Each structure stands twice: as structure tokens, then as C-alpha cells.
Amino acid sequence: MGMNSKLGGVWVFGDYRNYFQNRVTLQLISKGKSLAEKLNTEVVAVLLGDQINQYAMEYVAHGADAVLVAEDPSLRDYDVEVYTALLAEWVEAFKPEVFLAGATYFGREFFPRLAKRLRTGLSADCVALEVDTETGLLLQTTPAFGGELLAEVVTPNHRPQMATVHPGVFQEQ
């Protein structure tokens, strides 16, 4: 996949279970591309399920440089433990810089567990994501104090830098 030559990529969890969640994945791929360009790396969609080729093709059509797919009948039904374990293995193997998911039912449930397993930070419900071009760190803007303030979060020492984002925050390509 040509990942060895660069940092480990900006990963986007492929949340295809219904139309609106599918849209958030397309929005995150679009945002992920602009982040990946600044980090000189690739945007990778990550998909778990069964008979999901059409989604993989869709994500490539919307700008993903690569798609990591685990396809098996046992993955047809979402299982938080299985998804967390499998994604943790992939992250440890491929070492993405950034991993994004929609703040949907799935992203809210397994992403915090994945971050804990990987001993990294997670910014929930981000309203903006940017790359600090000097440090290469992901600037994660998230509501604080009940939405009264915006806090800027960085994860300087742990990888991946993980964030969830609501549908509609970013435009799809």
C-alpha cells in the first residue's frame, strides 16, 4: 500500500450501517484528505463487515487513497468487543497518525474503548480539525463546559490521535 514510505496515514472508520452514518464517513474522508496532505500521508478508509465491497468502492470514489477491509460473515453483525480487538490489532500493525470516526452509535460506543486499549487520547464531538504544520499535531476543537467554550486538544505523545465528529460538521467531496 505504499505506507512504509510515509507516516501511517489518516484513518477513517467506514460507518456504512445507514445512509446518514454513511454520509459522515464521506465527510470524514474529505476532511481526512486535507489533513493527510498536510501530513504528507494517505487517507485510509477502514471497513469491517460482510459483503461490503460496494462501500469500499464508494469510499475510493470519494477520495480514500486506500481501503483496509476485514470481510467475514462473523463481522456481519456489529460486536463492540470484536470490532475493538480487530481495530486495535490493525492500529498496532500499521500505526496510523490519526484515526477518525463519526459520532454515531458505533463511533460513540467502540471508539472510546479502542482509545483506552491503545492508551491514547480521544476527543469526542469535534467541531473542527486542523493540522499544526510546524509540529504535525492534530488540533482537535471540541465543546467544553456544556458547549459554553471551545477547547483545543492536542495529543502530543500518543498515537493515533483519535477524534469523533458529528455528521454534517464537514462537507463531503
Side-chain angles (χ1 to χ4, degrees):
M1 282 199 308
M3 280 198 202
N4 300 344
S5 57
K6 304 173 182 172
L7 293 172
V10 173
W11 284 16
V12 174
F13 176 70
D15 196 343
Y16 57 84
R17 303 274 166 172
N18 73 35
Y19 177 80
F20 292 105
Q21 291 173 351
N22 190 27
R23 294 286 124 194
V24 77
T25 301
L26 300 177
Q27 293 157 12
L28 289 176
I29 288 170
S30 173
K31 183 62 186 182
K33 271 201 89 64
S34 74
L35 299 173
E37 280 164 19
K38 290 181 181 140
L39 291 166
N40 188 31
T41 189
E42 300 172 311
V43 64
V44 179
V46 180
L47 267 166
L48 310 179
D50 188 40
Q51 298 178 331
I52 48 179
N53 272 353
Q54 77 263 32
Y55 300 109
M57 301 305 284
E58 182 82 357
Y59 296 153
V60 169
H62 280 264
D65 296 308
V67 185
L68 274 176
V69 180
E71 194 167 43
D72 191 86
S74 69
L75 295 172
R76 179 178 295 132
D77 298 318
Y78 166 72
D79 178 315
V80 65
E81 292 302 325
V82 173
Y83 274 44
T84 303
L86 188 56
L87 288 168
E89 276 185 29
W90 280 5
V91 166
E92 282 159 5
F94 292 107
K95 306 204 174 351
E97 278 290 293
V98 173
F99 199 174
L100 307 176
T104 60
Y105 169 76
F106 300 106
R108 282 212 181 96
E109 189 184 20
F110 84 83
F111 233 51
R113 291 182 189 215
L114 181 60
K116 190 170 181 214
R117 183 168 301 197
L118 296 168
R119 296 186 177 84
T120 190
L122 170 63
S123 299
D125 305 330
C126 287
V127 293
L129 296 170
E130 280 311 323
V131 168
D132 179 334
T133 43
E134 284 188 20
T135 60
L137 292 173
L138 184 68
L139 307 176
Q140 307 152 49
T141 307
T142 184
F145 300 105
E148 297 284 309
L149 288 174
L150 292 177
E152 194 163 85
V153 179
V154 291
T155 312
N157 303 319
H158 299 278
R159 293 291 176 273
Q161 302 165 89
M162 291 177 63
T164 61
V165 179
H166 279 281
V169 170
F170 299 120
Q171 299 296 307
E172 64 187 84
Q173 278 182 320

